[in-house]
Amino acid sequence: FRSQADAVWRLAAIEGFDLTGPIDVAADFTGKLADPNVRGSLASDALRFRSSITGTDIRKIRARGNFTGSRLRLTSFAGEARNGGKVSGSGTIDLAGLDERGPQMDLRLATADALVLDRKDMAAKVTGPMRILSNGNGGTIAGRLRIEEANWRLGSATGAAELPDIATREINLPADVAPHTRRAAPWRYLIDAKGGSRIFVRGMGLDSEWGADISLRGTTSDPRIGGKADMVRGTYDFAGTRFDLTRGRIAFDPAVPPDPRLDILAETELDSLDVRVTVKGSASQPEISFNSTPALPEEELLARLLFGGSVSDLSATDALQLGAALASLRGGGGLDPINRLRTAIGLDRLRIVSADPALGRGTAIAAGKNIGRRVYAEIVTDGRGYSATQLEFRVMRWLSLLGTVSTLGRETVLVKASKDY
């Protein structure tokens, strides 16, 4: 007969992972659920294994197996990851005791350039052996993997989506049947992964490549990461200035929840100065500092980076913005001090504007604030004599009037129409 894999998979009590697709079964079933006796075979050519937690998606799985007593022996299975990589293996699944626990299993897998982690904030393609062991209530996921390519995007939502713990109560049970109380235990990790390069970390101004040698321990509910990652190459953009990464190490401590220690140095040349940015501390609370050769105070360096001029030439508004930026950096503002600065001084928008020779404007900073629901005002200044005031009046949701007055005597009025498709 033909059945659906998801109907059987629910007995495994493996949360966060789904197995779907048709299964052809030719078997005789006798005995009890606690001690089944099965003789026959199992086959499928179109199974699909997915996880909402890791983003794993293995398709076109071809599986063959046979039953002996309570044990299903999978002689072979092979599938294709979303990127075209391969996953194959074999193993056993023991169905005895399903009235009290999930199936016991011992599966051995081989991955070949397979995309096994595919989330919005991170993804990884790996090659190497893996093993999945379970006593029917939780288990262990082990592996020794080579990282072919990985991506980690800073500033995206992090952390695996947790499955909610929903309180349930069984009703209308016969008097001689006890309530079902079995709850799946978390799975343990025992994974070592290594990659000499092609581990990319991007976002919040950082565009970099790393090599890593890490270990994943702990459980699915409390993962622990150990090891280190060393920088191969990269750049860091701050306020329109590009820095080259010259040193970088990320150290993981398996004794605490994931919050690696950072040691990153980036350098550039600016107005005959050798400027350095140092990032220390933890990933959750990084400490960023600026210094230079010849030596200048940090506020002077930030003034030149943010406004293109000396701190002595700043207006009162610029000085306020500079002070907020310094406070943000010294308070562990992270790799995105511009956004922290915007929040600190109560603006709705703060951005760096590239130079425009046609307007006589150098690299500038634009600060904007909403006035009511229909008016938006923005001031643009490059700290070298150019400034402009821009106003936007929203006539309708899709129609706005724009007006600009600059220090060069240029005045413009525009109509902006927009439509979402």
Side-chain angles (χ1 to χ4, degrees):
F1 66 92
R2 170 163 287 199
S3 180
Q4 292 296 315
D6 54 337
V8 180
W9 181 254
R10 293 190 186 100
L11 298 173
I14 302 177
E15 298 177 340
F17 297 87
D18 295 308
L19 183 67
T20 58
I23 299 178
D24 292 320
V25 180
D28 295 324
F29 296 83
T30 59
K32 301 178 180 179
L33 182 62
D35 186 22
N37 186 14
V38 187
R39 293 287 186 274
S41 62
L42 173 150
S44 179
D45 293 317
L47 294 176
R48 188 175 184 181
F49 179 83
R50 287 178 288 181
S51 168
S52 59
I53 297 176
T54 63
T56 306
D57 189 354
I58 310 300
R59 312 174 184 186
K60 303 177 183 177
I61 299 176
R62 185 177 185 273
R64 296 292 183 271
N66 52 69
F67 294 94
T68 303
S70 64
R71 177 169 294 188
L72 168 62
R73 179 173 178 265
L74 290 171
T75 55
S76 67
F77 58 86
E80 184 176 294
R82 184 177 296 169
N83 68 315
K86 306 299 181 182
V87 177
S88 60
S90 61
T92 60
I93 300 176
D94 196 334
L95 305 177
L98 290 183
D99 59 335
E100 297 180 354
R101 61 172 184 266
Q104 303 175 66
M105 64 179 70
D106 184 357
L107 303 178
R108 298 175 184 267
L109 300 88
T111 61
D113 195 30
L115 185 66
V116 297
L117 180 64
D118 188 17
R119 294 180 6 192
K120 179 181 179 181
D121 59 327
M122 60 183 67
K125 293 189 292 186
V126 301
T127 295
M130 296 186 69
R131 190 176 184 184
I132 300 176
L133 290 167
S134 175
N135 62 2
N137 188 25
T140 299
I141 303 173
R144 189 174 296 275
L145 306 172
R146 182 175 72 248
I147 303 173
E148 305 289 358
E149 183 177 328
N151 289 276
W152 179 19
R153 181 158 295 280
L154 301 175
S156 298
T158 58
E162 296 184 359
L163 296 175
D165 183 14
I166 301 176
T168 59
R169 180 174 61 90
E170 294 185 64
I171 63 175
N172 299 327
L173 284 173
D176 58 343
V177 177
H180 178 78
T181 58
R182 177 167 62 91
R183 181 180 177 184
W187 283 63
R188 296 177 56 246
Y189 290 121
L190 189 60
I191 296 176
D192 295 327
K194 181 184 297 187
S197 61
R198 297 189 61 76
I199 300 173
F200 300 101
V201 181
R202 299 184 175 100
M204 298 174 68
L206 192 65
D207 187 351
S208 57
E209 181 181 356
W210 300 72
D213 185 356
I214 60 176
S215 61
L216 177 59
R217 300 293 187 267
T219 67
T220 50
S221 60
D222 183 23
R224 302 298 175 98
I225 301 177
K228 62 182 178 66
D230 292 305
M231 185 270 300
V232 176
R233 63 180 64 86
T235 60
Y236 172 51
D237 287 329
F238 174 79
T241 301
R242 172 162 293 189
F243 293 78
D244 294 318
L245 298 186
T246 55
R247 183 184 75 231
R249 169 161 287 196
I250 302 175
F252 299 89
D253 184 355
V256 298
D259 190 16
R261 305 294 297 180
L262 308 176
D263 182 10
I264 300 173
L265 175 65
E267 300 178 286
T268 193
E269 292 186 3
L270 177 69
D271 297 334
S272 301
L273 295 173
D274 293 327
V275 183
R276 294 174 294 276
V277 181
T278 303
V279 183
K280 297 279 190 178
S282 66
S284 62
Q285 288 291 321
E287 301 168 2
I288 303 178
S289 60
F290 292 81
N291 60 80
S292 67
T293 302
L296 289 177
E298 191 172 50
E299 57 268 25
E300 177 68 22
L301 288 175
L302 277 179
R304 298 192 183 193
L305 289 169
L306 288 172
F307 305 104
S310 173
V311 67
S312 60
D313 299 327
L314 298 184
S315 66
T317 301
D318 295 339
L320 177 64
Q321 295 173 351
L322 177 61
L326 284 168
S328 174
L329 293 174
R330 290 167 180 166
L335 294 174
D336 194 11
I338 296 296
N339 194 51
R340 288 292 296 266
L341 167 59
R342 178 191 65 79
T343 303
I345 59 180
L347 294 173
D348 293 310
R349 191 179 186 191
L350 184 65
R351 59 195 176 99
I352 302 298
V353 182
S354 60
D356 189 340
L359 296 177
R361 183 187 70 206
T363 300
I365 188 168
K369 183 77 174 175
N370 287 309
I371 304 173
R373 299 180 59 185
R374 292 195 171 191
V375 178
Y376 171 76
E378 184 175 73
I379 297 175
V380 182
T381 178
D382 65 358
R384 298 179 179 179
Y386 175 89
S387 64
T389 301
Q390 299 179 349
L391 290 175
E392 177 180 351
F393 178 73
R394 304 178 184 97
V395 181
M396 300 180 182
R397 184 172 58 87
W398 55 274
L399 180 65
S400 297
L401 296 177
L402 306 177
T404 301
V405 178
S406 74
T407 52
L408 300 181
R410 293 191 176 104
E411 300 178 4
T412 60
V413 177
L414 300 174
V415 177
K416 181 177 74 173
S418 63
K419 183 175 180 60
D420 295 330
Y421 292 92

